[in-house]
Amino acid sequence: MQMEWPSYLDEYEKLVIRMTTPRVMIDNAGCANATRVMIDSARKHGILLEVVQVLTDLNLSIKKAYISCDGRWFMDVFHVTDLNGNKLTDESVINYIQQSLGTIHFEGSKCFDGLTALELTGTDRLGLLSEVFAVLADLQCNVVESKVWTHNGRIASLIYVKDCDSGSPIEDSQKIDRIEGRLRNVLKGDNDIRSAKTSVSMAVTHTERRLHQMMFADRDYERKPVIRTSGDSPLVAVQNCLERGYSVVNIQCKDRTKLLFDVVCTLTDMEYVVFHATVNTTGDRASLEFFIRHTDGTPISSEAEKQRVILCLQAAIERRASEGVRLELDTADRRGLLADVTRTFRENGLNVTRAEISTVDDTALNVFYVTDASGNTSVDPKMIESVRERIGMSRLKVKALPMICHQKAERDDEFAVGTGGAMLLSLGSLVKRNLYNLGLIKSYS
């Protein structure tokens, strides 16, 4: 694979990258019902997150994962399928994975060049999103992309906009000040004077990682849920394996897409390094185990820190959990579309708990998860049909929540993994075998 080097790299930096560039192998033959993606690379903080990000941005389902680090090298093995449980057979997808994983040292995330990013956090309430989009429409801002999360009564949103008339990013400082001020007033409402925040940025960022960071900074993990809509909360336990100098994090929860990304993203941004990990899924359940240390090499040092890690991981898992009715809007984009649609939701007593807004070739492709005004996920079908009649039955459709498809676990390619020292032993053997294959050690027996 031929690399195109960024202009800012000198020859020494290029040599270092050549020596440490991840080696990627994709295997469709060795596993009965999944594609195996294997990555070897020099270890650096955050590289695991970058790898997982590439896979999850393609909406792949990670059925299993084995992650291990030995000295300055790491090896990851992911068993992936598409969301229907099928192996990856599209050569363009396979080539994209190989190229992306092989260039993660200097590759960026999805590019939002030419757009202005708006970051919003505050107290969630019925109709808030409708008010936000109404303000943007009034200020001649065209929403091109957006993601909205709510959790524990808080809301975080990243909204990418451009000027309606010129189609250019919004750079005029007076207009930016006006946008920030109007949105801040909306977010404050009557009772959120202190914590409502707005900011405008031209920076390119990975949207979902930034949403995690925004909600983490907002300390949503410390707040009590306004309404507990599901009894299926993630179970997180943390204990220290002092003889090996690790802290061990165990997670048991419902499986869903991007689960591993959300967990690794949170651990990375909390300045923990994952040295070893296993991920297993059975049916709709997921079991994850991580051996971690601080970036300075020390394990978790106090009970208070353990509890903070537990709360933060629970919050990270819950933020993306899709509660409510999934509505998909597919229609020609126009000025004020989002303001009109979300106002219709509000007027019919529907609250948006999560949203994914996108525009492709002048077509709006939007997904909303809605509950009733009290937060109940079992929304009266008459309310939904009333909204669909006003927006257009053919434009707004009710969709079942996407399910993770897992077939029976294959036996032939199972690694013998357990907990504690047994897991470390098996993963250590895996790394040694890999290092032997690379010619970096003489024996792995």
Side-chain angles (χ1 to χ4, degrees), residues 135-347:
V135 165
L136 293 176
D138 185 55
L139 292 173
Q140 303 300 305
C141 298
N142 181 32
V143 177
V144 180
E145 299 270 346
S146 177
K147 277 187 170 29
V148 182
W149 288 358
T150 62
H151 180 243
N152 284 354
R154 307 298 295 172
I155 186 170
S157 178
L158 256 174
I159 306 174
Y160 294 91
V161 300
K162 60 184 179 181
D163 183 80
C164 280
D165 295 322
S166 68
S168 303
I170 299 167
E171 300 175 298
D172 178 76
S173 59
Q174 290 185 334
K175 184 167 184 177
I176 286 176
D177 289 343
R178 194 158 59 249
I179 292 170
E180 284 189 305
R182 290 274 302 273
L183 289 176
R184 194 176 298 114
N185 287 334
V186 168
L187 287 165
K188 284 179 180 178
D190 297 325
N191 60 358
D192 196 14
I193 295 174
R194 291 185 178 179
S195 62
K197 295 180 182 177
T198 65
S199 66
V200 177
S201 171
M202 302 298 293
V204 176
T205 184
H206 186 272
T207 303
E208 293 172 345
R209 182 176 185 184
R210 184 65 190 135
L211 284 171
H212 276 301
Q213 292 170 342
M214 290 163 61
M215 297 205 94
F216 176 79
D218 192 46
R219 305 175 82 89
D220 67 318
Y221 55 88
E222 292 182 340
R223 303 174 187 271
K224 298 294 183 184
V226 178
I227 296 175
R228 176 60 71 185
T229 55
S230 171
D232 192 16
S233 299
L235 299 176
V236 182
V238 179
Q239 59 185 356
N240 278 342
C241 181
L242 294 178
E243 66 273 16
R244 294 185 179 271
Y246 293 110
S247 295
V248 186
V249 177
N250 280 283
I251 300 172
Q252 305 288 328
C253 64
K254 187 174 182 179
D255 191 27
R256 59 167 174 76
T257 57
K258 304 192 178 183
L259 173 64
L260 182 59
F261 170 84
D262 293 335
V263 173
V264 173
C265 180
T266 299
L267 290 173
T268 302
D269 284 337
M270 291 180 73
E271 295 296 314
Y272 294 106
V273 178
V274 176
F275 285 84
H276 308 281
T278 56
V279 176
N280 281 288
T281 58
T282 304
D284 67 345
R285 306 300 299 177
S287 174
L288 305 90
E289 185 172 48
F290 300 87
F291 285 70
I292 65 172
R293 293 174 180 157
H294 292 106
T295 52
D296 66 3
T298 60
I300 291 173
S301 58
S302 69
E303 186 62 32
E305 186 183 356
K306 283 184 183 180
Q307 293 305 313
R308 186 168 182 262
V309 170
I310 290 171
L311 289 176
C312 290
L313 289 176
Q314 287 175 333
I317 294 168
E318 291 172 345
R319 287 170 193 148
R320 202 198 295 266
S322 301
E323 299 285 357
V325 178
R326 178 184 169 108
L327 301 176
E328 295 185 2
L329 177 68
D330 184 347
T331 188
D333 193 27
R334 60 172 173 80
R335 288 190 184 187
L337 173 66
L338 285 169
D340 293 343
V341 169
T342 50
R343 184 182 66 248
T344 302
F345 290 163
R346 182 191 66 201
E347 291 173 348

Side-chain angles (χ1 to χ4, degrees), residues 30-32 36 409-415:
C31 179
R36 284 195 295 196
E410 57 279 5
R411 290 188 295 271
D412 294 339
D413 64 325
E414 290 278 356
F415 292 107

Side-chain angles (χ1 to χ4, degrees), residues 26-29 33-37 55 58-61 78-95 97-98:
I26 297 179
D27 171 31
N28 258 326
N33 50 23
T35 299
R36 284 195 295 196
V37 180
L55 298 176
L58 289 169
N59 284 321
L60 300 181
S61 173
F78 300 93
H79 294 214
V80 303
T81 67
D82 63 21
L83 293 186
N84 295 317
N86 301 315
K87 288 185 178 185
L88 309 184
T89 56
D90 188 327
E91 285 299 322
S92 64
V93 173
I94 292 174
N95 290 336
I97 293 173
Q98 288 179 317

